[in-house]
Amino acid sequence: TPIGRFFDARPEYSALGDYFVGDVTYRLTDATSIVGSTIYDFDDNQQDMSTAGLLIQHSPSFTTLADVRFLNAQDSTVLTVWGDYQITDKYGILLSPNYSMSEGEFQSVFARITRRFSAFQASISINYDNIQGETSFGFVFQPYGARGAIGGSGAGLDGVYSGGSGL
């Protein structure tokens, strides 16, 4: 990947180089925040990625996000919208379509169902990549108190919103 990033949990996934990563969240109200991030590559003297969005927590059980992401290496702008809804104390669902504003079509659709148990939570996910024409499935097993997940996932959402519930 041409975008520099370091992942503490999985250093082998990292793309090393001289770069700056900046993430910001500005809380407008108790329920609404403006979020953004940037990755600046000092080797190329340019932005690799920029993101800006609006995060709204409608209730303790329902959160939505809309963000626009520009990837300089691909000259691509992607609009991501997701909704995370806790149906009950035990079940939650996340749905996220990604629309390529550069191509004028949907890039991918991701869905995840999570079941919470007394000592852990388990999730299954499906992702359809319209560009590659591929469908992937994932499973995550996460004990409470653990920072990362045990197991693997065939798809996921990454970036500035990756904290907490895997947003």
Side-chain angles (χ1 to χ4, degrees):
T1 178
I3 299 174
R5 199 71 192 232
F6 183 77
F7 301 100
D8 290 333
R10 299 297 297 259
E12 66 272 19
Y13 291 162
S14 300
L16 303 179
D18 291 328
Y19 57 89
F20 168 79
V21 176
D23 298 325
V24 65
T25 301
Y26 179 73
R27 181 170 254 174
L28 293 172
T29 67
D30 287 343
T32 307
S33 298
I34 295 173
V35 293
S37 68
T38 188
I39 298 176
Y40 185 86
D41 188 333
F42 292 109
D43 294 330
D44 295 336
N45 292 319
Q46 65 182 0
Q47 301 269 132
D48 280 344
M49 182 183 74
S50 301
T51 307
L54 185 65
L55 179 69
I56 302 172
Q57 187 167 7
H58 304 275
S59 70
S61 62
F62 182 51
T63 305
T64 57
L65 167 83
D67 82 353
V68 175
R69 181 174 306 217
F70 177 72
L71 301 170
N72 194 19
Q74 298 174 350
D75 194 26
S76 173
T77 303
V78 177
L79 172 66
T80 300
V81 178
W82 63 251
D84 189 4
Y85 181 59
Q86 303 308 308
I87 301 166
T88 67
D89 288 345
K90 293 185 179 182
Y91 289 96
I93 187 168
L94 183 136
L95 180 64
S96 176
N98 291 298
Y99 182 79
S100 174
M101 297 169 69
S102 306
E103 299 292 324
E105 64 183 6
F106 281 94
Q107 179 174 318
S108 65
V109 177
F110 175 82
R112 182 186 70 209
I113 297 173
T114 301
R115 165 71 159 95
R116 282 172 287 292
F117 297 90
S118 60
F120 66 92
Q121 69 181 19
S123 300
I124 58 171
S125 63
I126 185 170
N127 186 66
Y128 175 70
D129 183 337
N130 192 40
I131 295 171
Q132 299 293 326
E134 297 176 347
T135 301
S136 57
F137 299 92
F139 176 76
V140 174
F141 172 81
Q142 184 175 13
Y144 294 128
R147 295 192 70 154
I150 297 172
S153 175
L157 301 176
D158 61 354
V160 67
Y161 317 109
S162 61
S165 58
L167 310 176

